Amino acid sequence: MIGEGEDADDVTALQKEVQQLRHAVDAHALVDQAIGVVITVAGLRPDQGWAVLKHISQHTNVKLREVARCLVQWPSGGSPLPEVIRTALPQAVDHARRQDSDGSYEEDEEHAGAAACGWP
């Protein structure tokens, strides 16, 4: 037989799990929006947009969700991009353009230099 204390522990654990799942869904939506910003501005494919976010996060030591938040707020003029992200963004776009879908790199003279796409 399960005692009242065990029921309360189960409820608390379930509430914590629901809270974590809600946070994950919100973070996923934010990342998807940031990918949309990147692919719209830079003319990339969605997989390349994801690669840009990962590259920025890994090379700036900024959490992915924070990179995503900054990129989503940036186009509306809500806030300027932090210097570390603004600097890493063109490099990440160039890196994503050179990386083929199989992980190999190719030279793409047509898209060389992310400055052409209007990065700050």
Side-chain angles (χ1 to χ4, degrees):
M1 178 179 227
I2 299 175
E4 285 184 32
E6 291 176 16
D7 286 343
D9 290 342
D10 289 344
V11 169
T12 300
L14 289 171
Q15 288 172 334
K16 184 176 180 179
E17 184 177 355
V18 167
Q19 183 181 19
Q20 290 171 343
L21 289 170
R22 285 183 177 155
H23 180 72
V25 167
D26 291 344
H28 191 276
L30 184 63
V31 168
D32 283 347
Q33 291 171 6
I35 290 170
V37 169
V38 170
I39 65 176
T40 299
V41 174
L44 300 174
R45 298 183 316 265
D47 61 313
Q48 292 173 312
W50 169 243
V52 166
L53 293 182
K54 286 192 319 184
H55 189 271
I56 292 171
S57 179
Q58 291 170 349
H59 289 84
T60 62
N61 202 26
V62 176
K63 290 191 177 279
L64 186 78
R65 68 178 171 270
E66 180 63 16
V67 171
R69 185 191 63 76
C70 292
L71 288 172
V72 167
Q73 292 177 346
W74 168 61
S76 66
S79 63
L81 288 175
E83 178 69 22
V84 66
I85 294 174
R86 188 176 63 79
T87 302
L89 187 55
Q91 297 164 352
V93 168
D94 283 343
H95 182 266
R97 284 189 171 133
R98 288 190 313 269
Q99 189 173 12
D100 201 0
S101 60
D102 65 359
S104 63
Y105 288 90
E106 60 183 38
E107 289 300 317
D108 185 357
E109 293 180 22
E110 177 184 350
H111 294 106
C117 68
W119 291 118

